[in-house]
Amino acid sequence: TWEPVTKEGTLQKSHELHAPDWLFTLHKDIDLRMFYLKCNNFKIERNDYFGECRVKQISPISGHPVCFTTEALKYGQTGFFFAIVLCQIANTLEVKQRKLSLMYQGVRNQFMFFGFSQELILCLLLAYVIPLNIILGTRDLLFLHWGTPGLVIVVFIVLY
């Protein structure tokens, strides 16, 4: 714990500040910018590490904006999970067309598309069903964040 010191040099027990809880939702409504304050000559100043919030999204779990809270980590992890799924689909299609293009051989493997659909349905359930959000720590994503982290890798897999 960090305890601020008064001008007299004594510790103030009422102002204890603990590290933010990133794993669970204990500090879901705390603004993380408050953890990055600096004290110069007994004067508290704000560090300007953070820019402005570009994504105006309210979390259904906390009811607060996502920017600058521990909820942002859960949104990032869910977006990365979606990116992994998209990379797996691109990798499967690339392995299938390694020797002969999909234009010539066609796509007649119904089990492969059944697997793709089940994988995408599982992603949507994990992201948009509120009880699963609470249990597993996933969050609902904007369409922009579905596969953006892995889109560069998907393009690289397809073009390579």
Side-chain angles (χ1 to χ4, degrees):
T1 63
W2 172 79
E3 300 174 21
V5 179
T6 63
K7 289 184 180 179
E8 294 83 27
T10 60
L11 296 175
Q12 297 179 0
K13 294 286 184 184
S14 62
H15 290 87
E16 289 187 14
L17 184 63
H18 301 280
D21 175 35
W22 291 96
L23 187 58
F24 302 107
T25 56
L26 296 176
H27 297 141
K28 61 187 174 196
D29 55 348
I30 293 178
D31 190 350
L32 290 177
R33 294 175 289 185
M34 300 309 294
F35 281 91
Y36 296 99
L37 298 175
K38 59 184 174 181
C39 183
N40 290 331
N41 299 327
F42 302 106
K43 188 176 173 186
I44 295 177
E45 297 174 357
R46 194 179 106 187
N47 280 335
D48 293 327
Y49 292 130
F50 300 95
E52 66 175 289
C53 179
R54 289 187 224 144
V55 179
K56 311 293 188 212
Q57 185 175 9
I58 305 293
S59 172
I61 306 298
S62 66
H64 296 286
V66 175
C67 286
F68 312 123
T69 64
T70 57
E71 289 278 312
L73 175 68
K74 296 183 184 341
Y75 280 89
Q77 289 172 339
T78 306
F80 189 74
F81 176 69
F82 271 60
I84 288 173
V85 168
L86 290 178
C87 287
Q88 286 177 344
I89 291 172
N91 190 29
T92 303
L93 290 174
E94 185 60 34
V95 167
K96 184 170 177 53
Q97 67 177 356
R98 182 152 315 262
K99 292 191 179 191
L100 188 61
S101 175
L102 286 175
M103 290 177 61
Y104 296 113
Q105 68 178 343
V107 189
R108 293 183 293 268
N109 188 350
Q110 295 174 355
F111 291 109
M112 182 177 65
F113 285 107
F114 178 73
F116 290 164
S117 65
Q118 293 301 308
E119 198 170 17
L120 291 173
I121 288 171
L122 179 66
C123 283
L124 293 174
L125 287 175
L126 290 176
Y128 295 104
V129 175
I130 299 289
L132 291 176
N133 290 154
I134 295 169
I135 293 170
L136 298 175
T138 58
R139 296 295 182 261
D140 58 328
L141 295 179
L142 298 174
F143 181 71
L144 175 68
H145 299 142
W146 271 28
T148 306
L151 193 58
V152 174
I153 298 170
V154 167
V155 169
F156 180 71
I157 288 172
V158 170
L159 293 179
Y160 179 70

